[in-house]
Amino acid sequence: LAAGDTRAESWQWLRDMETHGNMGDNECSSARKQQEARDSEAFDKQFADIVRDVTQHDITDPEVRDALDRLKQVLEYNAPGGKRNRGLSVIGSLREMVPPTQLGPELEQRALVVGWCIELLQAFFLVADDIMDASLTRRGQECWYKKEGVGLDAINDSYLLEGALYRLLRRHCRGQPYYTQLLELFLETSFQTELGQALDLMTAQPDHVDLDRFTEERYKAIVKFKTAFYSFYLPVAAAMYMAGIDSEEEHTNAKTILLEMGEFFQIQDDYLDCYGDPTVTGKIGTDIEDNKCSWLIVMALRHASPQQRATLQECYGRKDSGSVEQVKAVFSELELPSLFRQHEEQSYSRLCDLIKRHANTLPHAVFLSFAQKIYKRTK
């Protein structure tokens, strides 16, 4: 099959699953979309309670009132404003795993809280990452550390975000049979992400461009640990534990699919960093200036001529606009946008195949919703 035919076949399979498979008929699909809209609204409304929980109800010692006020500012600036896909995936996945008669208001509420815990983990990572990368904007606004009066105090603010999520888990899930599993899941995922960040920083050292470090193996390791575990496996695994699904085999099957999705997602992110519209993505891409091991530079090095490689060696990782433009010119000469589109089609087809093969005992809809949200995304 040609790439277009493969993609069309895969997309038709997803359509068929929506219409005839686990997704139910068209009426059921429409009802699901309405439920997703209600969940989204409930999730957004939950945020005010999340802030009150950790800044008013959890600790009431007047001696730390100023610090709690600071935490409130940090939460309100950094936690909302994203796409919320990770957080909403907890309640969305849980609805596919638990019969409606067993999904009562209390479990729904806890799923929303756990979803916000993932969003706080994301905020913790992003606040710290923006400092390390010297980023300028995030989610369409100035990075937190760039705000007047914040600066490197943002390092401690990121710790506050991380601490808040564990207090929320304890407040809302302690006493549940899955509490320890959630704690271990969050702790393990955090460590995996931090290992990925370490690999990223070691590979992209400022003022020391070493193109030999930018291998496909290193890139895949960074993506797997820095992005895929917390962005894709974490929300689904949390929902699985909350639904009482804790077998190693089922978690391994889910992880196989979701880590592949995470790589697909990060490659899109790398492409959008260079070619995306900042008014749409909400951030100004700096991967070239930051000497990042991105998919684009890895592919460029694979296909570059000796002369093009010399240009990359001279210009990659430099902050001046002239060097950045020369790198982008090499990317264009190598037709990387076209290569990306081909890769996107191939990755999408591979994801569909993984879902068919590994989601035997798990609802396909859990994975289909992810695939449909990220396919051909622009932000």
Side-chain angles (χ1 to χ4, degrees):
L1 289 174
D5 294 333
T6 303
R7 201 269 323 159
E9 182 184 70
S10 300
W11 181 248
Q12 185 59 49
W13 176 74
L14 288 182
R15 292 288 191 189
D16 291 343
M17 288 300 299
E18 281 188 345
T19 307
H20 303 295
N22 294 343
M23 298 285 284
D25 56 18
N26 289 333
E27 183 177 343
C28 182
S29 181
S30 175
R32 178 174 286 101
K33 291 179 181 178
Q34 293 174 13
Q35 182 62 64
E36 288 175 352
R38 289 193 294 270
D39 285 342
S40 179
E41 182 179 359
F43 189 73
D44 289 340
K45 288 181 178 178
Q46 182 74 28
F47 183 64
D49 292 334
I50 294 293
V51 174
R52 280 192 292 269
D53 276 351
V54 295
T55 63
Q56 296 180 24
H57 302 155
D58 192 31
I59 299 177
T60 58
D61 190 335
E63 293 180 327
V64 293
R65 186 67 258 165
D66 285 350
L68 292 172
D69 289 343
R70 170 67 171 221
L71 173 57
K72 184 174 185 292
Q73 286 182 308
V74 174
L75 285 165
E76 291 177 342
Y77 191 90
N78 294 289
K83 296 182 287 291
R84 298 139 47 248
N85 287 341
R86 296 169 182 85
L88 284 168
S89 293
V90 179
I91 182 64
S93 298
L94 192 62
R95 288 195 187 281
E96 301 296 340
M97 299 173 187
V98 176
T101 55
Q102 297 179 22
L103 188 59
E106 290 186 0
L107 184 54
E108 286 184 349
Q109 183 77 6
R110 283 194 292 273
L112 294 176
V113 171
V114 172
W116 271 112
C117 287
I118 295 176
E119 292 295 317
L120 295 193
L121 184 69
Q122 158 87 336
F124 157 54
F125 292 146
L126 295 184
V127 168
D129 189 66
D130 285 342
I131 299 170
M132 288 180 265
D133 288 348
S135 298
L136 303 175
T137 58
R138 172 70 67 180
R139 294 173 173 173
Q141 61 184 3
E142 195 174 28
C143 291
W144 175 247
Y145 84 98
K146 295 291 289 182
K147 286 186 64 64
E148 184 177 356
V150 178
L152 293 182
D153 290 355
I155 296 172
N156 191 68
D157 294 334
S158 71
Y159 300 156
L160 290 175
L161 290 165
E162 183 191 31
L165 80 87
Y166 289 106
R167 301 192 76 87
L168 283 168
L169 278 179
R170 185 178 68 176
R171 182 179 180 87
H172 291 272
C173 297
R174 184 167 56 178
Q176 300 302 317
Y178 48 78
Y179 175 57
T180 301
Q181 292 168 321
L182 289 181
L183 277 180
E184 292 181 348
L185 176 65
F186 272 86
L187 289 168
E188 179 67 11
T189 302
S190 295
F191 187 59
Q192 288 166 327
T193 306
E194 288 151 7
L195 288 173
Q197 177 73 348
L199 288 175
D200 189 19
L201 294 171
M202 292 164 61
T203 308
Q205 295 177 6
D207 304 319
H208 179 64
V209 179
D210 183 358
L211 299 184
D212 290 335
R213 290 175 177 263
F214 298 158
T215 65
E216 283 191 68
E217 293 75 17
R218 174 53 63 94
Y219 178 75
K220 286 177 177 290
I222 292 172
V223 169
K224 176 181 176 180
F225 284 91
K226 184 179 177 179
T227 300
F229 275 112
Y230 95 89
S231 295
F232 289 85
Y233 178 62
L234 173 59
V236 175
M240 290 172 70
Y241 285 129
M242 296 180 78
I245 302 171
D246 57 5
S247 81
E248 183 176 348
E249 180 182 0
E250 287 173 306
H251 276 264
T252 298
N253 284 334
K255 192 179 297 183
T256 298
I257 299 167
L258 295 164
L259 293 185
E260 180 76 15
M261 282 191 186
E263 181 177 317
F264 178 32
F265 178 87
Q266 186 58 52
I267 290 171
Q268 289 176 315
D269 239 27
D270 292 349
Y271 177 82
L272 292 172
D273 183 273
C274 184
Y275 294 105
D277 181 351
T279 63
V280 177
T281 64
K283 60 182 179 181
I284 299 170
T286 59
D287 281 358
I288 294 173
E289 297 94 318
D290 293 339
N291 190 30
K292 287 293 185 180
C293 181
S294 80
W295 182 82
L296 291 170
I297 188 64
V298 171
M299 290 299 104
L301 291 171
R302 180 199 282 184
H303 298 286
S305 67
Q307 183 179 356
Q308 290 168 327
R309 184 183 177 93
T311 299
L312 295 173
Q313 180 68 56
E314 180 182 351
C315 298
Y316 199 76
R318 295 185 179 274
K319 304 293 184 183
D320 62 284
S321 59
S323 294
V324 173
E325 289 307 313
Q326 288 192 63
V327 171
K328 289 185 177 180
V330 172
F331 288 174
S332 295
E333 290 168 10
L334 295 170
E335 299 183 337
L336 292 192
S338 175
L339 185 63
F340 166 77
R341 287 189 287 273
Q342 293 175 29
H343 184 86
E344 187 174 42
E345 304 293 357
Q346 293 164 1
S347 294
Y348 189 77
S349 298
R350 191 162 59 248
L351 280 176
C352 293
D353 183 58
L354 284 173
I355 294 171
K356 291 177 187 177
R357 288 191 288 116
H358 291 281
N360 298 322
T361 59
L362 295 169
H364 283 200
V366 171
F367 307 102
L368 301 183
S369 63
F370 267 119
Q372 291 163 351
K373 285 174 184 175
I374 66 176
Y375 180 61
K376 288 192 179 296
R377 68 187 179 96
T378 58
K379 63 179 182 178

